[in-house]
Amino acid sequence: EKFLLGEVHFGSWFEHIKGWLSHREKFNFFFITYEELKKDLRHSVENLCNFLEHSLLPETIDTIVRHCSFTNMKDNQMINYTLVPKEIIDHDRGKFMRKGAVGDWKEHFTEEQKERFEKIFQDKMRDSNIRLSW
């Protein structure tokens, strides 16, 4: 409920994404979704290299892909939020990084909650061109 209302640390996710997307023409930034990363991490890294106009050796890309895999990131305290104070993220209630599966959030929601989220997402993001494949 708090997420949908934007009453979480760092505010509304919807406003955050829309705010950045509204500056797409003004600022030169690379936008990628978790779903894209999960679908093809290597291709995503290569796309980022192209965006940055910086080529990397295949071995370097291999290293990046290995370090950026969900499994490695889940176990890395500098990434998995286990160092964040309990007041911000209560790790007793669950891990920030669960399974790494696209759409897994649906397994934690009732049908009513899923429908409500989809409706709110469509309403809040209708003016954006973002399309998430979960």
Side-chain angles (χ1 to χ4, degrees):
E1 189 65 31
K2 288 184 176 186
F3 175 83
L4 294 175
L5 297 173
E7 295 174 357
V8 291
H9 287 280
F10 311 113
S12 168
W13 177 87
F14 301 107
E15 295 306 315
H16 172 77
I17 297 297
K18 289 191 315 186
W20 274 106
L21 290 177
S22 71
H23 296 290
R24 219 176 200 169
E25 300 300 320
K26 183 177 179 182
F27 302 117
N28 188 25
F29 63 88
F30 185 75
F31 181 82
I32 192 163
T33 64
Y34 180 74
E35 292 78 9
E36 292 173 90
L37 292 167
K38 280 298 286 185
K39 183 177 180 181
D40 192 342
L41 182 55
R42 173 174 291 285
H43 184 68
S44 297
V45 171
E46 291 167 348
N47 282 343
L48 179 58
C49 289
N50 290 335
F51 173 78
L52 296 172
E53 298 177 353
H54 186 81
S55 61
L56 295 175
L57 295 172
E59 306 83 52
T60 304
I61 292 178
D62 291 342
T63 300
I64 293 168
V65 168
R66 187 174 61 256
H67 285 287
C68 292
S69 72
F70 180 81
T71 303
N72 280 336
M73 291 180 70
K74 183 177 182 178
D75 294 335
N76 184 330
Q77 287 187 322
M78 297 304 290
I79 297 168
N80 65 17
Y81 288 93
T82 54
L83 299 175
V84 173
K86 189 175 184 172
E87 305 83 60
I88 297 175
I89 296 180
D90 185 354
H91 298 285
D92 294 334
R93 295 184 63 198
K95 296 181 177 182
F96 177 77
M97 298 176 79
R98 296 184 309 266
K99 297 178 187 174
V102 171
D104 181 59
W105 62 271
K106 292 179 180 182
E107 301 301 317
H108 301 269
F109 284 30
T110 65
E111 285 302 315
E112 182 181 320
Q113 288 171 323
K114 285 188 261 189
E115 289 174 13
R116 182 165 178 252
F117 175 81
E118 290 284 353
K119 183 180 182 309
I120 290 170
F121 179 88
Q122 294 302 325
D123 181 53
K124 290 188 180 275
M125 301 304 286
R126 74 172 163 261
D127 294 333
S128 74
N129 61 356
I130 185 173
R131 299 294 170 255
L132 301 179
S133 56
W134 52 55

